[in-house]
Amino acid sequence: MKMKDYNEIQCPDCGGKIFIDAKLLLQGSSFNCSNPDCGASVSLSQSSYQVANNAMEEFEKLKGK
């Protein structure tokens, strides 16, 4: 995974790191906490896909300006 391909967030359960690829997140992937003793994961609910996809498209448009 290239450095620019993902974002890192803090796990809400243990404080570890969760690495998220936004494009894969929009395709339905889930991402687990890097702490092997933690079971937390992050994914989008089905109802959030369109909202998140629209936000990403708008963000890409703004980056292009």
Side-chain angles (χ1 to χ4, degrees):
M1 194 179 317
K2 295 178 190 172
M3 199 127 165
K4 65 180 180 178
D5 290 344
Y6 68 87
N7 293 299
E8 177 184 318
I9 63 170
Q10 185 176 8
C11 176
D13 284 345
C14 74
K17 295 178 182 179
I18 300 177
F19 300 100
I20 299 173
D21 180 318
K23 290 180 183 177
L24 292 177
L25 185 67
L26 290 172
Q27 294 173 0
S29 295
S30 64
F31 301 89
N32 298 322
C33 178
S34 61
N35 178 352
D37 296 324
C38 182
S41 66
V42 173
S43 64
L44 286 177
S45 67
Q46 188 73 21
S47 62
S48 297
Y49 286 138
Q50 191 60 48
V51 172
N53 192 44
N54 290 346
M56 288 296 294
E57 288 175 0
E58 290 299 318
F59 178 70
E60 290 299 324
K61 286 179 190 175
L62 290 172
K63 279 183 15 181
K65 290 184 178 183

